[in-house]
Amino acid sequence: MNEVLNLGYARVDLDRESRQGLPEVVYGPGKTPEQITGIVTGLLAHNTGPVLVTRVTPDTAETVLATVAGGTYDAEARLLLWRPAPTGPFSVLVAAAGTSDRPVAAEAVAVATAVGLDTDAVHDVGVAGLDRLLQVRGRLQGADAVIVVAGMEGALASVVGGLVRAPVVAVPVSTGYGASLEGVTALLAMHASCAAGVSVVNIDSGFSAAMAVHRIAQAALPGKSPDHGGSW
Amino acid sequence: MNEVLNLGYARVDLDRESRQGLPEVVYGPGKTPEQITGIVTGLLAHNTGPVLVTRVTPDTAETVLATVAGGTYDAEARLLLWRPAPTGPFSVLVAAAGTSDRPVAAEAVAVATAVGLDTDAVHDVGVAGLDRLLQVRGRLQGADAVIVVAGMEGALASVVGGLVRAPVVAVPVSTGYGASLEGVTALLAMHASCAAGVSVVNIDSGFSAAMAVHRIAQAALPGKSPDHGGSW
Amino acid sequence: MNEVLNLGYARVDLDRESRQGLPEVVYGPGKTPEQITGIVTGLLAHNTGPVLVTRVTPDTAETVLATVAGGTYDAEARLLLWRPAPTGPFSVLVAAAGTSDRPVAAEAVAVATAVGLDTDAVHDVGVAGLDRLLQVRGRLQGADAVIVVAGMEGALASVVGGLVRAPVVAVPVSTGYGASLEGVTALLAMHASCAAGVSVVNIDSGFSAAMAVHRIAQAALPGKSPDHGGSW
Amino acid sequence: MNEVLNLGYARVDLDRESRQGLPEVVYGPGKTPEQITGIVTGLLAHNTGPVLVTRVTPDTAETVLATVAGGTYDAEARLLLWRPAPTGPFSVLVAAAGTSDRPVAAEAVAVATAVGLDTDAVHDVGVAGLDRLLQVRGRLQGADAVIVVAGMEGALASVVGGLVRAPVVAVPVSTGYGASLEGVTALLAMHASCAAGVSVVNIDSGFSAAMAVHRIAQAALPGKSPDHGGSW
Amino acid sequence: MNEVLNLGYARVDLDRESRQGLPEVVYGPGKTPEQITGIVTGLLAHNTGPVLVTRVTPDTAETVLATVAGGTYDAEARLLLWRPAPTGPFSVLVAAAGTSDRPVAAEAVAVATAVGLDTDAVHDVGVAGLDRLLQVRGRLQGADAVIVVAGMEGALASVVGGLVRAPVVAVPVSTGYGASLEGVTALLAMHASCAAGVSVVNIDSGFSAAMAVHRIAQAALPGKSPDHGGSW
Amino acid sequence: MNEVLNLGYARVDLDRESRQGLPEVVYGPGKTPEQITGIVTGLLAHNTGPVLVTRVTPDTAETVLATVAGGTYDAEARLLLWRPAPTGPFSVLVAAAGTSDRPVAAEAVAVATAVGLDTDAVHDVGVAGLDRLLQVRGRLQGADAVIVVAGMEGALASVVGGLVRAPVVAVPVSTGYGASLEGVTALLAMHASCAAGVSVVNIDSGFSAAMAVHRIAQAALPGKSPDHGGSW
Amino acid sequence: MNEVLNLGYARVDLDRESRQGLPEVVYGPGKTPEQITGIVTGLLAHNTGPVLVTRVTPDTAETVLATVAGGTYDAEARLLLWRPAPTGPFSVLVAAAGTSDRPVAAEAVAVATAVGLDTDAVHDVGVAGLDRLLQVRGRLQGADAVIVVAGMEGALASVVGGLVRAPVVAVPVSTGYGASLEGVTALLAMHASCAAGVSVVNIDSGFSAAMAVHRIAQAALPGKSPDHGGSW
Amino acid sequence: MNEVLNLGYARVDLDRESRQGLPEVVYGPGKTPEQITGIVTGLLAHNTGPVLVTRVTPDTAETVLATVAGGTYDAEARLLLWRPAPTGPFSVLVAAAGTSDRPVAAEAVAVATAVGLDTDAVHDVGVAGLDRLLQVRGRLQGADAVIVVAGMEGALASVVGGLVRAPVVAVPVSTGYGASLEGVTALLAMHASCAAGVSVVNIDSGFSAAMAVHRIAQAALPGKSPDHGGSW
């Protein structure tokens, strides 16, 4: 089987779709529009599920979209997308602490939607105004999984972790200044969280959080995978 | 409803069982045997699911077990346990990189088992001998979730993350010396992992990893919760 | 005026009582019982307010108390005390996140009480069980100042900071493991807090927090200073 | 009661004024002029006290002021302000170590003034020229609270902390180079201070320091709150 | 013997060629084109082997090449080169984890080739797609030495280190974000590697890795040094 | 082929000898004497080259040696050894900066000797007494490879790196105090070294340095491997 | 006596000249040309010794020099200077490791010369080419004090510290990349130096090193202070 | 000339006395009493100045003194000493911030005295009680050099640096807790000091500070070296 597509400048892992339920996702930074075009074209030709390119600038997006038909660009999420998966039954709620966390939350929402998760979001529910958070307690407890996006001290992860029984994936955000240490403080704090079973992904990686929930959805709905386009 | 049991030295969160599917888990360090006895007695009386105390020394365990009937102590995992949940259908495989990672893996196994996960483990599958890992590839791919336990550089999380479609929860371990920085290097490396959707818990916390999978299992099997003793 | 008492091994700042409203507080570690005895004797003779020695081991305390009459020792707070101030009208509530935070909270309570603050405490109100915290919301909002004592991720400071209008002084605690980094994570997180106007003192320093509130009380009740024994 | 104003892009905490004595303060970075305009308009309509937006660039300020009448912009402090509180009886002195600390000191002064504190400032009183500091000793000792603004090694906090009996809130500043580590050294040094009861806020946050003193003033003058416009 | 060429702005170590088998390599940053021209001219006149200048910008390269005849510039590697050594019998394979590691790999390839190593490269063989790596297992095991270039968590070094018997020199790369800490995480992880005998060079230093292999080649082929132009 | 020996508590990589020229080396810490005995017995039975156990305490060594015949224990190097390789023609000189570096140097010497390298050592040649180092310049330049062992600031690596043409493998040592940061300073300094092509292994790992040279020797003498017992 | 000149934006420490033998030196960054002009004018009027402004950009320098007569600007050192002290008998040699250390060395040379030290410099004497350093051994040993300027690993400080009996003041430089950590590695390494009695100043602070030697010269030549213009 | 004494376990730098004005000083930790005895015996036989061994435990001291006649042991300073230099005319004042800084100050005093400096000390002059410091202002200003010993935030170095014209060598001390980071905070703060020309030595190294002043004294009194026993 020809499971690797060797483009010279990249070795595309064509087998990933069958192995992990989703084609390889392309990380945009450091790649030229031509390289992205080549990889995307290869993935569209050899795989059947959604094709995503993350952290793409508007200029690069425009160039690639002009060449590879059928794609869309989400500017806030910086995501290029072809063949999004149909929305499945597994729901995820993205809860963001403040307005400065919006870009990271947007990436989580866009990627989660693209891979077929039933995605929703609430913004500006940081713990300094606890009532704002308690107002959405029902929505938090109703989701199959929750992604918490928070910078500064990241306390929202602990509080949400204590409120819901669902999986909570925390994304530290590099907003804030001084003692925020560009997201390192939030990352450490989320790990030290007093709420049991909260897991954490890399700073600013809405993408990783969405992918972690994609894995969870596949575990939750294993028999249904073939039914919705190969994405999970 | 009286959802908090105020023992003076502790406020036991009795509501947690109904809110999160598991009674509050007791963190042992810094508590006297008398305090542990009091909290455990309260939880056994007011809740119905498994009661766990983590990071308990053998001496403390002996004292508590002499007072509170029906418990067991797992010395390698340092876990005190009453009323374990019956084993449910959700499987988790704990994969440990080296023999020095055994105590952390043991805690993950013991907690996962206690809360009703169908738990198994493979040891000594670090990436320096890749064939050892590839030999268990089938077991890794067959699990509903995988917990990766690894110290030193933590590379096992990336490799396993690329092999399976299931949720992967990585536990950095404080073994190793020098540049291992007591687990901080593994924690950072696991976050920087090139494998998408791997999430990470605190250093040495087999407990947190098991709880993260417990959350996942509840998301995967929501309708079945009442069937197996209240733990998920 | 002879405002410094030169004992050879120490220069006791006798003027501090008139300058700052409280005699110099003695930091116990690194001093012999004989040195502590000498300094305390000097302070009792030349000043009129409460005399405190912090972080004293039981053995040292016993030796010193056998020589210098009229003192008491609080073992959990590790505080030696002579001539406590009468309790004044300014109230402070010490809120501790978990049972492992008790020793630091105990020091805050003991020092605050010794310098004449109207002191109370609530324990085990960590944010993972938010209802426990909301149960004491009234007590938090009724205090003239709040000291928050929390290790791990220190999220309690942000939540309390958002609930009350009073001054909030946060004490990071070195409990926890791994990513807690011996209190550094909590310290950074408390600084990065999304709640405005929360200020922070050194890791594990219940003493510093109490002294910060003592300063606040003096600002709040300037005219009453002479009325209650010189301590504020 | 409708205590949260949901603007879609933000959830404004309208209840904060009654809960904490001051309307929610808006953090400018990451918000568009349109978003700021919307939030400010909402706060002006639903609350009665001063409305502040921090860290605003001149361009953004101009755009917002053109739309929302009655505001002023302090360029050095980067503060947008509507409905400043009348000056109350509680005095605060902002003491800055060097001329490079001026912008942070300016933010502290502007915010403190806006919320009704009786604010004054002294500049360039760093400890390398101790006599400059001793010249203003009287002013320091006469203030109800002192905010110390210092970069480099932050030693001014310790020295002032030893001179006055009032609350001292220290602001580390990110000036300096090399070992200053962008303010982290000053932050750590201020925490390690040998002066008891000095508390610390985040690096460069003149805003946080002013808010900490605002809390103190409310504790000092609780009965007077209604008298001066709702701000404290 | 006149072993140092004193140009005023630099002391060129002319003896290095006889002492270490290669003329001094010039580090470009911080030097003017005129300074580079002077040093290169001196080395070409007084030494006989290859002359290299690293980390040169295109503009500087153009200026220098216009003055000093016979040189070439590799833009991706940022390397200026005169008198490359003939290719010898010692082979090195540069294995790069991802496409973002290409510039560092390019420097390793260019320097290794310039000093006479028989150099080849494979790209995009990161461990998240293990099959891509196993496909080139034969090439890895056939090389006399392997340079591993990897950012993020740097796991490729451990895996390759376990697959081959040849020397493995690992280069951490500053790609990635958040927990990658600009290459520090990869550096630490490579040191903590569970594969024995992997050695590490500075972050982003393809140059250092090539020079380390140059040293190895000289040790492997000591008698042949004079045969191929003085470079090893 | 049965390339992995599964002992339950360990999976011994029997294939490593043929893959990498040396049986798997056992890391002692965290293993019981019984576990070490089992692994060593397995390696002796299924492989033919030298068997090493590193970082073994005297008590454990005594217990294991009483059971497994033919072994020796080097107390300073903390190494257990069976079937040492005959000494081959590749020479390595271990150069240690100070007397406190001796234990790490001893491990390097013992492991290097055990795997068949022609090993020698010089001690106490730190750069503060440069003449001591220059006295052994000839020995340094005559070795096929040099291992530099140095704590504190690790400057010896740079100086030796500039003196010899052979491969230089640097081992940072955790001696020193304060700014030495338990070896981290030496590790960083060795990486930042101004001498080109010096590579570095983990702090205190004389073992890793010897293994790196073992790899180099195999590259240098590939045809001779079968001649001296399988170790290289 | 009016020892402080209060300009509003600055409090100039006029007493420093009599107290420390040199007028206050002005730190340029963060000050407007108008502020610098004001301070310099004040110092020239009220003091008699050399007036220095450090880290000044060319534009600012031009503006100030147009207003305040008699000054000079050293562009490489970024130093503005009026009334340089006559050269005294105390000699200092500035030894820089590489060409990238030149700007910092230039500041040390310019400041040292300005305050009356008999200053000389040698460049490019890094330890990787030890013979370059040994060539200037005589000059190093002949100086009354040595300033070592070195980035990367900073090893030059240790080697020079072992060669001379004179005071050695080491300046870590922020050149280098990766593990150099912007000078922090050199700073730590210089502190951990195996050469006794080497002291260290802040990263990139040629100014501080020159001032440290100025203090030493005053100690060496106390009786001569009045003779050479008041600067030492 | 036989300038190195090779004892096998150590290479004693006999030439250091003529090169640097003082025999090599022996660092005690990690050496057996027998090794110390051997080195000291060699230094006494081949050199003529004072012989010092630092950081020696009482047990080791007793053993060595029983064998090598004429030595003394200072328990607080942990210093073994033979042939102290006669006291010369260069004075140094050791100023310690608190009583916990005494052991480090004691080492500075003992070493300074041993090498012939006219040494005095003041204790407990930390900046929180500024008047204590101002009381000794005259003594500080009268010394030829000042050593400042301070832990916690190390602010004393800045204040003293601003008061005196003499050389100031600062020693950060690892006392304190939490944010003191075992002396790293004081080290960084002392480097970031706003007082010009203060130089810093390693954490807890009273020895290094004394040696730095010894170098200064040699520079100050070059012609007098032969007159007082060879030590400076």
Side-chain angles (χ1 to χ4, degrees), chain E residues 134-145:
Chain E
L134 295 177
Q135 281 185 335
V136 298
R137 188 173 185 160
R139 289 173 70 189
L140 288 164
Q141 291 176 332
D144 290 327

Side-chain angles (χ1 to χ4, degrees), chain B residues 48 129 142 156 219:
Chain B
T48 63
L156 186 59

Side-chain angles (χ1 to χ4, degrees), chain A residues 126-131 133-134 137 151-155 158-159 161-163 177 179-181 185 187-196, chain C residues 126-131 133-134 137 151-155 158-159 161-163 177 179-181 185 187-196:
Chain A
V127 302
L130 209 54
D131 293 323
L133 179 64
L134 295 177
R137 188 174 185 159
M152 295 177 170
E153 89 287 44
S158 295
V159 174
L163 287 176
Y177 54 90
S180 296
L181 298 181
T185 294
L187 184 144
L188 292 170
M190 285 166 166
H191 274 298
S193 172
C194 53
Chain C
V127 301
L130 207 55
D131 294 323
L133 179 63
L134 295 177
R137 189 172 184 160
M152 297 177 169
E153 89 286 44
S158 294
V159 175
L163 288 176
Y177 54 91
S180 296
L181 298 181
T185 294
L187 183 145
L188 292 168
M190 285 165 166
H191 273 298
S193 173
C194 52

Side-chain angles (χ1 to χ4, degrees), chain D residues 155 158-160 162 194, chain H residues 97 125-133 153 155-157 159:
Chain D
S158 295
V159 174
V160 170
C194 52
Chain H
V125 291
V127 301
L130 208 55
D131 294 323
R132 294 181 301 188
L133 179 64
E153 90 286 45
L156 185 60
V159 174

